[in-house]
Amino acid sequence: MKGGMRMLKYAILFAVFSLIDALTTWIGTHRGFAEANPVLAERLSNPLLFFGSFTLFTLLGVGVIAFSFYLAKRVPAMNYFPALFVALKALPVLNNLILLTGLPPLKLTLAATARWLLGFA
């Protein structure tokens, strides 16, 4: 049961990052940013095709996470894969958020840190 809950946690995190990635990509491209992924770039003209692609990629990613838990029973090093996979999915989200704010990454980091310190200090 413990492994199942852990797998569910990673699958949900992956799906949430995928949803945020899809929304920020959609918003960014409609504000004039270019999509670097040519597979997604050609689907931007059709919302159903664009979000359908993200849904398919998300389902495949969740499948990869589930399969990695199966493999981890045989190869202990695979226990590290889900966290890495989710972190890699978070990178485009972070990139999109930086682009959408219009702030340089250092200034954005300092502003977020200052707000966090003031809000929780």
Side-chain angles (χ1 to χ4, degrees), residues 23-108:
L23 293 173
T24 56
T25 298
W26 183 260
I27 291 167
T29 56
H30 283 80
R31 288 187 180 175
F33 293 106
E35 172 56 47
N37 182 339
V39 173
L40 289 175
E42 69 184 32
R43 291 174 166 84
L44 281 166
S45 60
N46 183 338
L48 186 60
L49 193 55
F50 176 77
F51 287 106
S53 296
F54 259 98
T55 302
L56 177 63
F57 298 149
T58 302
L59 291 173
L60 288 172
V62 168
V64 168
I65 289 170
F67 188 60
S68 72
F69 274 87
Y70 170 77
L71 288 177
K73 295 174 186 173
R74 291 165 174 70
V75 182
M78 287 301 292
N79 281 311
Y80 298 103
F81 181 80
L84 177 64
F85 197 60
V86 169
L88 288 174
K89 185 60 187 169
L91 287 176
V93 171
L94 180 61
N95 181 61
N96 288 351
L97 291 173
I98 289 170
L99 288 173
L100 288 173
T101 62
L103 296 173
L106 181 60
K107 189 173 182 180
L108 179 63

Side-chain angles (χ1 to χ4, degrees), residues 103-119:
L103 296 173
L106 181 60
K107 189 173 182 180
L108 179 63
T109 303
L110 293 173
T113 304
R115 282 191 201 115
W116 183 80
L117 289 172
L118 292 174

